[in-house]
Structures are given as structure tokens and as C-alpha cells.
Amino acid sequence: MASSSHALTCVACHDPLVMSVESDSDSDSDAGQPGPSSSAQASSSSAAQETVPDDLHLPCGCHFHWQCLLDQSPQIASTLSCPNCSTTLTPNPSSGIQAVYSSEGGQSEPVDLLPLVQEEAHLQTHTEERPGRALHTMAGEGDVEGIVSLLRDAEDTPAERAALLRYRDPLGGGRNALHVAVENGKADAFWLLLWVASDLPTDNFSTEMRQTMGSIRLQRGGGEDLRFVQDVEGRTPGDYAAASGEWDEWINGGVFMLRS
Ligand SMILES: [Zn+2]
Ligand SMILES: [Zn+2]
């Protein structure tokens, strides 16, 4: 409202191109006082709502909220054109859809929307894959707490748990979560996945790990052994490990050995 330069709105929902955020006391900024530089409101006790830009500018000239555009992913992915003005958004799918996003952090470098739109389009028609994709994201980030939480949610439904763990990324070369953990060098996620989704003998796990797993009572194995699942190029997580050169200890320690 401060700078009413141009009242741009989202072409999908017709709201202003901002989103409300709570000016939370995030950990890394020490500021005890809520003090977004420009606003000089004295009483900002409960009214800690502020807005930040949320403006996705497409090559055709249309502006969307980020989420409003993603909501139309199936149409964009199939037509490669703007859902508002029908202008073609890319001369060639290989060059992607270059857009500029303005957010709290300012204006981005051109971002390629095409892979994001394709993934979202895929998920909108395969909603059952969302937990699996979340698992892969967590495996890639080494977010073991997140993985434990996902598993807990699925634990009462064996079919759901099995589907979660054996999920293979159709947009990522058919990798499973163990491929992802190995590729990103996330050792904790790696061992956790071996615990819940491999037949590796329990002796192979550290004492500490066995105690931890015992105390949080996560079910061991019982489904597909992720160590031996191949991606679309026929490579197992062990092949990824061998290629990286950073996992020698485990390869030589037998983690990836075939069952006898
Ligand atoms: Zn919108
Ligand atoms: Zn447009």
C-alpha cells in the first residue's frame, strides 16, 4: 500500500501481487524488536502481518502469484503456453520457460519454470506420489527427522509404508530414496533408509544406531530391499556409491553386497 506505483494484480485471482507473511522472530536475525526498516509502526504487537512481493512475470507479460501459476501446471505443461493469454511461453521446450520472480528477496535471475511445472503437473495427477517425493527431498537433504516422521505417518498402513519406501522418481531417472541419499552424500539418511528398507543384517549397524532405532521403534525392513533396485540406466545405489568414490568403507564393508 505504501508505494502505489502500479496496482498490478495476478491475472488468475486478481489479487495484488503480494503475499502476507508473519514477521517471525527467525533464529539467525538477532533482532528482538520487529523492525522491518521501512515500517515505523509503534504498536506492532499482534499485528505482525506484513506483505512481501509475490510476482511471477512470464515471458508473455502476464503476472501471476507463484502458487496461482503452479495450480495451472497441467495446462501449461501440456500446451507450453500462458493459461491467461495463450501466448507460447517458449520457442523450444529445451530452452525451458524463462520467467522472473519477485519475492521477499527481491527479483530473481530468470528461473526456468518448465521443470517445476512438469513436476507439479505430474503430482497433480499422481497425488499418491507426494509422500514419496517428500521422502526423496528429505533423503537428499539428510533430513532424518523428516524421514522418521514420514515413516511414522505411514507405519500403521503397511501398503502405504511399502509404497512410500519403494517410490521411484519417474522424473529423476527412476531413482529410489537410497540412490538419492548416496548421491548427495547423506550418511545418516543412508543408514536410516537401510534400517527401514533393506535386509542388511542388524549387525552391520552401529551400536548407537541400533539403540536409537530401538528406542524410536521404527520397523526394520520387511519390504523391497532398496540396495538392489536399479535406476532406468540399470544402476543400483551401490553403483552410485562406487562411482562417487566417497563410500569405499561401506562398499568394502559389504553394505552393498548381494544376498547370498
Ligand atoms: Zn493469484
Ligand atoms: Zn500471458
Side-chain angles (χ1 to χ4, degrees):
M1 56 177 173
S3 63
S4 57
S5 51
H6 41 250
L8 276 176
T9 56
C10 170
V11 294
C13 71
H14 308 295
D15 283 337
L17 289 161
V18 294
M19 72 166 115
S20 297
V21 294
E22 292 181 18
S23 54
D24 53 359
S25 52
D26 39 313
S27 47
D28 50 352
S29 77
D30 58 321
Q33 308 295 333
S37 51
S38 56
S39 71
Q41 302 153 326
S43 64
S44 58
S45 53
S46 64
Q49 288 279 333
E50 55 182 293
T51 58
V52 297
D54 177 16
D55 176 4
L56 187 60
H57 189 186
L58 297 193
C60 57
C62 291
H63 293 257
F64 287 81
H65 292 120
W66 181 267
Q67 189 59 48
C68 288
L69 182 96
L70 276 191
D71 288 346
Q72 310 207 35
S73 291
Q75 183 186 345
I76 300 167
S78 64
T79 64
L80 299 178
S81 60
C82 173
N84 180 56
C85 70
S86 302
T87 304
T88 300
L89 293 173
T90 176
N92 182 336
S94 66
S95 52
I97 296 176
Q98 304 300 324
V100 173
Y101 182 55
S102 301
S103 64
E104 191 170 14
Q107 185 169 305
S108 74
E109 293 297 307
V111 54
D112 183 5
L113 292 179
L114 189 54
L116 305 172
V117 160
Q118 286 172 331
E119 172 166 349
E120 182 62 23
H122 179 86
L123 285 176
Q124 285 187 20
T125 48
H126 301 81
T127 53
E128 76 285 357
E129 291 187 9
R130 285 195 189 270
R133 294 197 71 81
L135 176 67
H136 281 214
T137 302
M138 291 166 179
E141 293 170 351
D143 177 4
V144 292
E145 286 179 23
I147 296 172
V148 168
S149 163
L150 264 184
L151 287 165
R152 285 221 175 291
D153 289 346
E155 205 159 53
D156 294 338
T157 319
E160 200 179 306
R161 179 184 186 275
L164 170 67
L165 288 170
R166 71 162 177 262
Y167 174 69
R168 296 174 61 196
D169 184 355
L171 307 174
R175 294 177 301 174
N176 67 28
L178 197 61
H179 284 109
V180 176
V182 170
E183 186 171 73
N184 291 280
K186 300 300 181 189
D188 290 344
F190 170 80
W191 284 106
L192 175 55
L193 289 166
L194 286 180
W195 183 272
V196 295
S198 84
D199 300 329
L200 186 67
T202 304
D203 293 352
N204 290 58
F205 296 87
S206 69
T207 309
E208 184 192 1
M209 171 121 189
R210 277 180 269 162
Q211 286 168 347
T212 305
M213 290 296 121
S215 65
I216 64 176
R217 297 214 307 274
L218 267 190
Q219 186 185 329
R220 262 232 71 189
E224 184 178 48
D225 190 328
L226 294 188
R227 291 176 296 165
F228 308 112
V229 175
Q230 298 175 352
D231 67 11
V232 292
E233 293 171 7
R235 295 182 303 160
T236 65
D239 294 328
Y240 279 42
S244 79
E246 292 173 17
W247 299 72
D248 283 352
E249 181 191 342
W250 301 335
I251 296 170
N252 297 331
V255 167
F256 291 114
M257 300 258 258
L258 285 164
R259 285 161 287 193
S260 52

